[in-house]
Amino acid sequence: MQGFTPNTDFSELHSTMRAIELASNSIQMQISPAASEAIILSLGQSSQPYKTCQFILENSLVATARFQAAAAIREAAIREWGFLNADDKRSLISFCLCYAMQHASSPDSYVQAKVSSVAAQLMKRGWLEVVAAEKETLFYQVNQAILGIHGVDVQFAGIKFLESLVSEFSPSTSSAMGLPREFHEQCRRSLERDYMKTFYQWTQEAASSVTNRIIESDSVVPEVKVCTAALDLMLQILNWDFRSNTSDTKINVFSAGVGQDGDSFRRPECHLVQPGSDWRDVLILSGHVGWLLSLYAALRPKFTYEGYWLDCPIAVSARKLIVQFCSLTGTVFLSDDGKMHERHLLQLLSGILEWVDPPDAVSKAIENGKSDSEMIDGCRAILAIANVTTPCVFDNLLKSMRAIGTLTFLSMWMSEVIKVLITRNTEDGTWSWEARDILLDTWTALLMPINTITVNDLLPSEGIKAAANLFGFIVECELRMASASAFNDEGDSDYLRASISAMDERLSSYALIARASIDVTIPLLTHVFSERVTRLNQGRGIIDLTETMEELYSLMLIIGHVIADEGEGEMPLVPNAIQTQFVVNSVEADKHPVILLSSTIIKFAEQCLNPEMRDSVFSPRLMESIIWFLARWSSTYLMSSDGIGEKILDSGHHYEHSSKKVLLSFFGEHNQGRVILDIIVRISLITLTSYPGEKDLQGLTCYMLLHSLVQQRHICVQLVALNSWHELANAFSTEKTLFLLDISHQRSLAQTLVRSASGVRNSEESSQYVRNLMGHIATYIVEMSSKSNLKNVAQQPDILLSVSCMLERLRGAASASEPRTQKAIYELGFSVMNPILVLLEVYKHESAVVYLLLKFVVDWVDGQITYLEAQETAAVVNFCMRLLQLYSSHNIGKISLSLSSSLLSEAQTDKYKDLRALLQLLSSLCSKDMIDFSSDSIEAQGTNISQVVYFGLHIVTPLISMDLLKYPKLCHDYFSLLSHLLEVYPETFAQLNSEAFNHILGTLDFGLHHQDVDVVSKCLRALQALASYHYKETGNGNIGLGAHAMGLKDSSGEVQEGLLSRFLRSLLQLLFFEDYSSDLISVAADALLPLILCEKGLYQVNDSS
Amino acid sequence: MSDEEHHFESKADAGASKTYPQQAGTIRKNGYIVIKNRPCKVVEVSTSKTGKHGHAKCHFVAIDIFTSKKLEDIVPSSHNCDVPHVNRTDYQLIDISEDGFVSLLTENGNTKDDLKLPTDDNLLTQIKEGFAEGKDLVVSVMSSMGEEQINALKDIGPKN
């Protein structure tokens, strides 16, 4: 390839320039791009191309060639930085800087921008080696430029240079230089400490120097460009992640005096600007904010002029900077009880109000075609203010200017936005959606502490009223939207779960607003709900009720969010506002608003038990919301074990918490709890039996409602005493309709029913309960497997379906195993062990059934293994091995033939799932050696778990092809098991025959070169275990891995390398020559040491060669 | 929906394996279904509602188990669909005749000679090569609604 050597010869410089120009032009015109690219690349790759590049920059008329020359300087200089002498470095930087300044007014500004950014990068590269004085000289030039003595264009260029410099020094936007992180971090710290504020001041001065010209002129003047750049740079600097001041004031992050509540929740995406006290003079005391606001205020009347408009660059930049100033907090303000901060925010708010006040007029203007940017930026600003203040401070801000508080204004503002949202009924993505979401976030930021702090302490009474009004309006609008959308058939996407999770954030924000004024909103919700119910009852059979049904659906979701929290796996508490806001006399419990509301809803839900009502009113969708509500409600209120919550909250406030006590005792075991539980069970039975084919509804009933009911023992005690629960259990065993449920729902139901056995009085009776429930299923399987014509009937669809159902039910029961029911479930599984093998044989071609069989065994063994006595263990282990062998004999060497590629890939997936199940089975068996609750040692029966598992692995591994290992989960499971085995039982591994041994080594080698770090580290751990075992054993005079470790002669007489030396080689190969993640270093080193110790000779030979 | 038209058609197929009615909601992915009077394997099931407050319906995408053609159907969840009886039998492969028929050994010692080799080249070579190499091959034959086809091949070790 043609190279570019440093050459002062003019003609050669000229010819190189021509070559680059030609190449740049032809790239643009797409003529032989590869060759041209090579020419351009060779410029940057050649040694010391600086003269050439400078020549091109100064003389070429082709802009793209100049651009490429600048890029080449950057590339070469970063690469050769270590070899350049100090003068060269300095002259390169100053060349670039001067070039950018001198050509500031030339066209093709992207070339200047590139050169300027090259200057910034080179400056950073030399930042830590250059003395301060030298930097001062350079920055002096920059300052001169920014001050505007060389004219507007140079001023602009100077600001732009600082912008690239700051972005180079900011870790998230810096360019790569092939240097350690530490270098970038030191540069960042140095710039923040020594220069950032100075830069800001220069920019500020530059901006104010041009302000008058801009304000006075009626048309766009060149100074606008400078001012915009200055505003952008200021924004960029304020976006800097200031660290020097935050480390020592961590506790006081939320500014002095304001927002003291340390546990208040702040959204992670909200960016707080905390430059620290050093910046006070520049940002606060200098009247900077006042200047900014008046600049924007002066711009506003100009928006009608030529060249200005609401979204012109200078207006956008100014607004962004104003919003950014709203996020300013921390020690930059005096710790004078927040006064200074309040004044700052007040000043900003008075400016921002111009954009959004009065909301109705502004929104009308937007609907008539005005840009929405001021409105949206106004929302962002108010969100930023909410993030740095407490609700009280927030509310007071506006009071000094207006008769109303900020909260009241916010409530009016948001109502207006929602009004537009529903009247337009527009698609997602319009301004009213965005504004609504930002304002909701604002409420959330303000009200989040409501979950820990009493409302009255948090909000002024006016604010509470504002929240109540807003919530009332929200409910009205949501209902209107619901009824308007009742006939929209949006098809598949409109499912309860999907729609709830999409709306969840919104509903949670609504709930916070409602809880801020809970004593008003609960009665309101009760009223609205009852009204809709009345409408249903009156209109039933007369008019179409779809709209009302949709309204109730929507209300159910809102109410669910307001009165109860999602537990997220934990027991949810009664929301703080509900605990503290109601003062109730325990005698009049049924007058408690929350009890009234809950009872109203439960009474309504109960009506679905009436077949007539069900047909006319309770649509599947409405039932989904009812089940969802009942699940959410019951985990908070129904027979809630009171003790836990009481301890967490301060027990001193007995009076305040009377509300909670009344609630929990009303819905407790000794009061209404049982009645309601009974209703819930009856409703569940109805959804399972009377809504055929409604999978989503039944799924919610099984997974959400019933499943969560049986999680608590004291509820199980009540459940098993209910007639309705026995009806459910009975229906489960006998009723045909329940066999039509989705089979995974049947599994869940079996699990739930078996789990409820924990509520039965003693273990004797609970075992009997399980036997009654599941016995006939085992009998069915046993009888089926012993049918003489099984082979003929097995594949009939009806038999296939019922066998699948029974297996899933067995699996559900097996996975509900608890110490109390363990014995019964063991017997259950034991009785079907042989039938399972028979079915595996009969259904060997029916992959779906095979999978169910395997999964049942996996879950059963997993639940049982730790409890089994020696004899039982032997039986189970023996059964598992027969199962593995049978499965293997069916599948080894089998090729599926099908024309359809999707059916073939399905077959592959089925195989993968089977194998994964088998590996899980082996892992469960393994755990017997780790955790064992049985009374005697399993060795007594001669069961050696390690041998068993290796034997199992020996059966399974040939089925695992390299293709199948491409399934990440299978791969993961396989290597987990393998590394576990090699770590725990290296001695058994050593005893394997050479075929099995080599297969395992082959997969280990495969795993070592896998992409997944986790897999590689598992393999490394396995290797370490093997080598250490061998080293220790041989040190004690034993054979260790014996023949496997030595070189072996295989059948054809060729010498095979011993495994340790082979892996030593391949590991070194990996470490030295291949890419690997740095996360692996430590585990690789752990594996390397014992390998080297075992194979010292080989290591030294390699070392010296 | 469309299933009602061909609900009873399969009975015309005298002597062939029957189809069974089964609730649409219980038919899962990897299960079988009759669509347009063809036995199919379901590769995708999705549910939707007929209107917001209406009932659920199932949308099936399935593949004809013999021709590999893709077929689709929409059925209300609570209605019945026809499910084919799909049987699979293993036979040992005795011979491949030149006219493309195979000779198979049945369980009771007779031979079954009425089955053709698959037409697809790829499948064909797998069978032919395996047979030529002298491997002991077991073929599994899938039959449903009066049709039969070889659908899997298994090597049970070299011939002795």
Side-chain angles (χ1 to χ4, degrees):
Chain A
M1 190 186 290
Q2 172 189 8
F4 294 93
T5 45
N7 202 325
T8 45
D9 181 20
F10 178 76
S11 66
E12 227 179 300
L13 282 175
H14 204 81
S15 70
T16 311
M17 181 172 90
R18 285 295 303 149
I20 296 294
E21 284 176 352
L22 261 173
S24 311
N25 276 334
S26 52
I27 277 193
Q28 281 205 313
M29 286 183 280
Q30 309 265 329
I31 307 164
S32 59
S36 312
E37 207 180 309
I39 294 175
I40 289 168
L41 280 178
S42 71
L43 181 64
Q45 282 157 0
S46 59
S47 146
Q48 309 238 339
Y50 312 115
K51 284 249 157 55
T52 321
C53 294
Q54 292 177 1
F55 182 81
I56 297 174
L57 275 168
E58 275 162 348
N59 296 296
S60 176
L61 299 175
V62 181
T64 44
R66 296 202 298 275
F67 182 88
Q68 298 296 355
I73 291 183
R74 191 254 165 206
E75 195 193 338
I78 295 288
R79 189 183 63 235
E80 295 176 348
W81 195 259
F83 314 122
L84 296 177
N85 63 40
D87 283 340
D88 287 345
K89 293 176 186 170
R90 199 178 317 129
S91 75
L92 268 179
I93 297 174
S94 93
F95 170 81
C96 291
L97 200 53
C98 292
Y99 183 90
M101 301 292 174
Q102 279 161 11
H103 296 79
S105 47
S106 316
D108 298 313
S109 57
Y110 68 95
V111 179
Q112 280 70 258
K114 178 73 186 177
V115 176
S116 168
S117 99
V118 172
Q121 290 183 36
L122 296 186
M123 200 159 192
K124 180 178 177 187
R125 182 62 184 81
W127 190 257
L128 300 178
E129 56 199 74
V130 173
V131 290
E134 216 171 285
K135 289 180 201 160
E136 295 302 334
T137 340
L138 277 171
F139 281 133
Y140 178 74
Q141 289 178 31
V142 179
N143 186 19
Q144 293 295 305
I146 289 181
L147 283 179
I149 7 185
H150 304 300
V152 177
D153 288 327
V154 178
Q155 199 174 11
F156 177 75
I159 295 172
K160 281 291 171 193
F161 170 73
L162 283 187
E163 197 181 306
S164 17
L165 194 71
V166 172
S167 96
E168 258 333 301
F169 276 72
S170 168
S172 55
T173 48
S174 61
S175 342
M177 292 188 175
L179 291 173
R181 270 254 146 265
E182 179 67 356
F183 170 82
H184 295 279
E185 178 54 28
Q186 279 178 353
C187 289
R188 188 198 68 75
R189 213 178 305 146
S190 155
L191 193 79
E192 177 179 329
R193 192 184 55 220
D194 301 328
Y195 291 94
M196 204 60 112
K197 200 174 126 188
T198 320
F199 291 169
Y200 196 90
Q201 277 168 316
W202 292 353
T203 322
Q204 215 175 356
E205 283 162 25
S208 9
S209 73
V210 295
T211 312
N212 281 340
R213 280 275 294 145
I214 297 174
I215 292 180
E216 282 157 14
S217 164
D218 285 347
S219 57
V220 177
V221 288
E223 280 81 0
V224 169
K225 195 169 92 167
V226 173
C227 193
T228 311
L231 292 170
D232 287 341
L233 179 54
M234 290 189 249
L235 178 69
Q236 192 190 9
I237 292 177
L238 287 185
N239 254 323
W240 182 269
D241 181 17
F242 290 98
R243 292 195 211 155
S244 58
N245 299 73
T246 45
S247 55
D248 49 345
T249 53
K250 233 171 201 158
I251 313 137
N252 205 6
V253 169
F254 300 122
S255 127
V258 187
Q260 287 292 13
D261 42 297
D263 60 342
S264 74
F265 171 85
R266 299 294 175 190
R267 295 172 161 247
E269 67 259 41
C270 112
H271 173 77
L272 299 176
V273 184
Q274 307 178 75
S277 54
D278 296 344
W279 286 70
R280 191 176 302 139
D281 50 348
V282 186
L283 297 179
I284 312 293
L285 303 176
S286 65
H288 181 46
V289 175
W291 164 81
L292 179 62
L293 289 170
S294 59
L295 171 70
Y296 189 74
L299 287 174
R300 295 187 87 226
K302 292 184 196 286
F303 289 147
T304 48
Y305 297 167
E306 178 75 31
Y308 283 109
W309 67 99
L310 200 57
D311 292 305
C312 66
I314 188 168
V316 171
S317 302
R319 277 197 308 268
K320 272 193 194 156
L321 192 58
I322 293 173
V323 174
Q324 188 75 346
F325 266 108
C326 294
S327 300
L328 192 64
T329 181
T331 50
V332 69
F333 298 106
L334 276 176
S335 41
D336 57 354
D337 225 15
K339 294 246 164 45
M340 184 184 247
H341 194 177
E342 274 173 49
R343 275 197 305 276
H344 168 79
L345 291 175
L346 187 59
Q347 193 179 11
L348 286 164
L349 187 63
S350 64
I352 293 160
L353 272 184
E354 302 289 318
W355 312 348
V356 295
D357 189 45
D360 50 342
V362 175
S363 75
K364 203 168 281 162
I366 295 174
E367 291 301 299
N368 290 332
K370 190 188 171 199
S371 163
D372 56 28
S373 330
E374 280 193 340
M375 175 61 111
I376 299 288
D377 280 334
C379 295
R380 291 195 182 115
I382 207 81
L383 172 61
I385 293 177
N387 270 318
V388 296
T389 54
T390 62
C392 282
V393 173
F394 181 84
D395 192 46
N396 278 330
L397 284 176
L398 198 64
K399 277 197 181 144
S400 53
M401 295 185 271
R402 303 281 173 91
I404 52 169
T406 326
L407 286 167
T408 312
F409 180 71
L410 183 62
S411 152
M412 282 159 47
W413 183 0
M414 191 160 160
S415 303
E416 187 55 41
V417 169
I418 296 178
K419 207 189 287 169
V420 175
L421 192 73
I422 62 156
T423 47
R424 293 261 134 182
N425 203 9
T426 41
E427 308 279 293
D428 203 341
T430 54
W431 74 270
S432 45
W433 275 88
E434 197 179 351
R436 196 258 321 256
D437 286 351
I438 302 174
L439 292 179
L440 262 186
D441 282 351
T442 310
W443 280 104
T444 310
L446 289 166
L447 296 175
M448 210 56 198
I450 227 174
N451 285 334
T452 43
I453 296 177
T454 313
V455 183
N456 293 336
D457 302 341
L458 190 72
L459 290 183
S461 61
E462 237 179 89
I464 295 178
K465 223 167 126 197
N469 289 339
L470 178 61
F471 184 75
F473 191 65
I474 287 175
V475 170
E476 195 189 317
C477 291
E478 283 290 327
L479 289 179
R480 244 194 281 168
M481 289 217 278
S483 65
S485 71
F487 294 103
N488 288 3
D489 187 6
E490 280 161 20
D492 315 53
S493 64
D494 214 39
Y495 279 130
L496 182 105
R497 254 186 254 207
S499 75
I500 284 190
S501 65
M503 281 166 52
D504 201 39
E505 208 173 320
R506 193 165 93 219
L507 289 168
S508 313
S509 303
Y510 288 170
L512 280 176
I513 297 172
R515 286 178 197 174
S517 50
I518 196 85
D519 45 355
V520 180
T521 46
I522 294 285
L524 170 81
L525 287 169
T526 315
H527 171 73
V528 177
F529 190 87
S530 322
E531 196 191 60
R532 296 303 185 281
V533 172
T534 318
R535 206 180 289 172
L536 270 192
N537 283 327
Q538 287 169 349
R540 197 158 65 87
I542 307 166
I543 48 167
D544 183 87
L545 293 166
T546 315
E547 286 182 13
T548 316
M549 276 146 72
E550 186 61 20
E551 285 178 340
L552 279 167
Y553 172 87
S554 178
L555 266 178
M556 206 75 90
L557 297 193
I558 294 175
I559 296 172
H561 276 86
V562 172
I563 65 174
D565 285 318
E566 219 265 304
E568 285 158 358
E570 302 295 334
M571 296 275 300
L573 295 176
V574 176
N576 190 43
I578 292 178
Q579 286 191 31
T580 54
Q581 282 308 292
F582 296 104
V583 179
V584 204
N585 183 339
S586 57
V587 188
E588 298 180 311
D590 50 355
K591 297 233 170 72
H592 190 302
V594 176
I595 292 179
L596 271 175
L597 178 59
S598 307
S599 312
T600 311
I601 296 177
I602 291 167
K603 251 183 226 131
F604 168 66
E606 198 184 357
Q607 293 187 56
C608 77
L609 301 177
N610 171 351
E612 260 174 57
M613 280 297 280
R614 191 159 63 231
D615 290 342
S616 55
V617 172
F618 290 89
S619 74
R621 182 173 160 93
L622 188 57
M623 283 310 285
E624 281 170 29
S625 69
I626 288 174
I627 296 293
W628 175 86
F629 175 86
L630 290 175
R632 185 163 173 132
W633 178 88
S634 59
S635 57
T636 302
Y637 294 97
L638 188 63
M639 302 183 190
S640 181
S641 39
D642 194 25
I644 318 155
E646 202 74 334
K647 272 175 217 148
I648 297 167
L649 287 160
D650 185 4
S651 51
H653 302 77
H654 279 303
Y655 177 69
E656 288 180 9
H657 293 181
S658 65
S659 160
K660 178 188 174 189
K661 269 200 193 127
V662 168
L663 273 170
L664 294 188
S665 86
F666 187 82
F667 295 121
E669 295 159 39
H670 307 296
N671 204 327
Q672 298 299 306
R674 278 191 62 140
V675 181
I676 295 173
L677 189 65
D678 185 55
I679 294 173
I680 290 178
V681 174
R682 283 179 199 287
I683 293 175
S684 306
L685 186 57
I686 285 295
T687 65
L688 297 177
T689 52
S690 303
Y691 287 84
E694 299 295 339
K695 276 190 210 175
D696 295 301
L697 173 59
Q698 288 153 353
L700 277 176
T701 309
C702 292
Y703 295 118
M704 254 191 97
L705 182 57
L706 294 177
H707 184 83
S708 66
L709 282 182
V710 294
Q711 295 306 311
Q712 298 176 61
R713 200 167 162 264
H714 66 276
I715 296 189
C716 290
V717 173
Q718 301 294 331
L719 277 176
V720 293
L722 287 177
N723 277 334
S724 52
W725 190 251
H726 288 283
E727 269 171 48
L728 179 67
N730 234 346
F732 171 78
S733 318
T734 56
E735 197 133 340
K736 242 188 127 196
T737 47
L738 289 190
F739 282 96
L740 295 178
L741 293 180
D742 191 279
I743 57 171
S744 55
H745 296 168
Q746 294 188 41
R747 185 203 326 151
S748 163
L749 200 55
Q751 191 187 28
T752 299
L753 286 166
V754 171
R755 193 159 282 161
S756 73
S758 67
V760 179
R761 218 172 311 128
N762 55 45
S763 70
E764 190 64 24
E765 279 176 46
S766 57
S767 292
Q768 191 53 47
Y769 171 86
V770 173
R771 274 194 286 273
N772 290 344
L773 194 67
M774 302 301 297
H776 71 284
I777 293 172
T779 317
Y780 176 88
I781 296 279
V782 173
E783 279 172 4
M784 182 56 71
S785 69
S786 54
K787 268 192 182 167
S788 55
N789 62 345
L790 177 62
K791 233 179 160 180
N792 295 327
V793 298
Q795 290 179 345
Q796 279 176 22
D798 52 342
I799 304 286
L800 209 59
L801 181 66
S802 60
V803 168
S804 303
C805 291
M806 297 302 185
L807 287 174
E808 276 292 61
R809 288 171 172 216
L810 279 176
R811 182 179 159 203
S815 63
S817 183
E818 278 173 3
R820 257 184 160 199
T821 48
Q822 179 263 332
K823 205 84 209 155
I825 290 172
Y826 172 74
E827 283 160 14
L828 185 71
F830 186 81
S831 67
V832 295
M833 275 191 335
N834 276 321
I836 291 279
L837 296 176
V838 173
L839 293 178
L840 189 64
E841 174 70 42
V842 172
Y843 287 110
K844 63 183 172 188
H845 293 300
E846 206 54 68
S847 60
V849 181
V850 170
Y851 184 66
L852 295 180
L853 285 163
L854 297 182
K855 281 306 261 187
F856 160 65
V857 177
V858 169
D859 283 355
W860 180 62
V861 170
D862 189 48
Q864 298 293 318
I865 188 80
T866 48
Y867 301 104
L868 298 183
E869 299 296 334
Q871 201 183 347
E872 296 167 336
T873 312
V876 169
V877 163
N878 183 27
F879 162 66
C880 290
M881 289 307 122
R882 279 166 64 202
L883 182 86
L884 287 173
Q885 273 169 326
L886 192 59
Y887 180 85
S888 166
S889 76
H890 291 156
N891 288 283
I892 207 145
K894 180 176 165 182
I895 304 167
S896 297
L897 305 177
S898 173
L899 283 169
S900 157
S901 58
S902 72
L903 285 188
L904 276 180
S905 82
E906 284 297 329
Q908 183 87 343
T909 311
D910 289 342
K911 233 175 166 180
Y912 140 72
K913 282 160 70 185
D914 289 352
L915 287 172
R916 197 160 167 245
L918 293 178
L919 288 177
Q920 283 166 355
L921 180 60
L922 291 177
S923 300
S924 308
L925 290 178
C926 257
S927 67
K928 181 70 176 171
D929 261 8
M930 306 289 138
I931 312 165
D932 192 352
F933 299 140
S934 64
S935 53
D936 54 350
S937 161
I938 51 163
E939 310 284 343
Q941 285 287 322
T943 312
N944 180 335
I945 286 288
S946 69
Q947 270 173 5
V948 167
V949 177
Y950 269 110
F951 180 61
L953 200 61
H954 177 56
I955 301 171
V956 176
T957 37
L959 294 168
I960 300 180
S961 63
M962 293 300 170
D963 263 351
L964 281 170
L965 279 181
K966 286 176 188 150
Y967 285 92
K969 280 183 179 166
L970 179 69
C971 187
H972 199 267
D973 282 356
Y974 176 75
F975 285 107
S976 300
L977 181 64
L978 193 61
S979 83
H980 175 82
L981 285 177
L982 293 185
E983 277 177 75
V984 185
Y985 313 115
E987 67 284 352
T988 323
F989 180 63
Q991 292 156 14
L992 287 181
N993 70 31
S994 69
E995 191 194 342
F997 194 84
N998 283 326
H999 190 95
I1000 289 178
L1001 287 191
T1003 53
L1004 206 54
D1005 205 35
F1006 170 87
L1008 216 46
H1009 296 94
H1010 201 272
Q1011 283 163 344
D1012 187 350
V1013 176
D1014 205 31
V1015 169
V1016 182
S1017 70
K1018 285 195 171 102
C1019 291
L1020 287 171
R1021 233 173 293 137
L1023 265 187
Q1024 179 203 352
L1026 275 184
S1028 331
Y1029 167 76
H1030 183 71
Y1031 181 69
K1032 274 183 210 146
E1033 287 291 294
T1034 47
N1036 294 337
N1038 298 325
I1039 57 159
L1041 294 173
H1044 298 301
M1046 320 289 186
L1048 263 186
K1049 275 192 182 166
D1050 67 7
S1051 50
S1052 57
E1054 281 177 48
V1055 179
Q1056 280 193 327
E1057 204 178 10
L1059 87 106
L1060 295 173
S1061 51
R1062 183 173 132 200
F1063 278 111
L1064 177 60
R1065 237 186 255 282
S1066 76
L1067 184 55
L1068 285 173
Q1069 169 83 18
L1070 174 79
L1071 291 178
F1072 290 147
F1073 302 114
E1074 287 165 40
D1075 277 343
Y1076 62 94
S1077 156
S1078 53
D1079 298 345
L1080 289 171
I1081 291 177
S1082 126
V1083 48
D1086 290 346
L1088 199 54
L1089 178 67
L1091 280 174
I1092 292 175
L1093 289 174
C1094 291
E1095 296 286 337
K1096 260 188 219 145
L1098 176 71
Y1099 180 67
Q1100 279 159 354
V1101 170
N1102 272 352
D1103 203 26
S1104 54
S1105 60
Chain B
M1 286 250 162
S2 58
D3 65 327
E4 263 130 272
E5 307 154 14
H6 53 76
H7 203 80
F8 299 105
E9 280 172 25
S10 54
K11 286 196 174 162
D13 222 334
S17 310
K18 282 183 291 183
T19 62
Y20 287 72
Q22 192 175 319
Q23 202 190 76
T26 63
I27 298 175
R28 290 157 55 92
K29 191 182 167 192
N30 285 335
Y32 297 102
I33 188 172
V34 177
I35 299 179
K36 301 210 168 65
N37 213 19
R38 297 291 306 162
C40 299
K41 185 164 184 166
V42 179
V43 288
E44 204 184 302
V45 194
S46 52
T47 48
S48 55
K49 283 196 170 77
T50 45
K52 262 194 178 156
H53 289 271
H55 293 282
K57 58 192 178 192
C58 299
H59 180 197
F60 296 105
V61 179
I63 290 178
D64 187 318
I65 54 174
F66 294 117
T67 67
S68 295
K69 280 214 182 74
K70 191 197 251 187
L71 294 163
E72 299 189 35
D73 203 357
I74 295 180
V75 190
S77 285
S78 55
H79 288 205
N80 278 343
C81 282
D82 279 347
V83 175
H85 183 179
V86 180
N87 216 342
R88 288 194 207 70
T89 322
D90 285 353
Y91 301 98
Q92 193 161 342
L93 181 64
I94 311 173
D95 196 18
I96 300 179
S97 68
E98 286 180 5
D99 53 359
F101 280 89
V102 289
S103 182
L104 304 173
L105 185 64
T106 63
E107 247 182 6
N108 51 22
N110 296 329
T111 60
K112 176 177 168 65
D113 301 305
D114 59 347
L115 208 58
K116 269 197 147 181
L117 277 169
T119 46
D120 181 71
D121 284 339
N122 188 22
L123 311 186
L124 195 59
T125 40
Q126 290 194 56
I127 297 181
K128 277 190 167 168
E129 273 175 17
F131 188 72
E133 280 166 30
K135 285 178 182 162
D136 221 350
L137 295 179
V138 168
V139 297
S140 111
V141 173
M142 171 173 69
S143 61
S144 180
M145 297 172 71
E147 275 182 72
E148 278 187 314
Q149 199 176 69
I150 294 176
N151 84 318
L153 182 66
K154 196 161 144 19
D155 174 8
I156 54 168
K159 257 182 192 163
N160 293 321

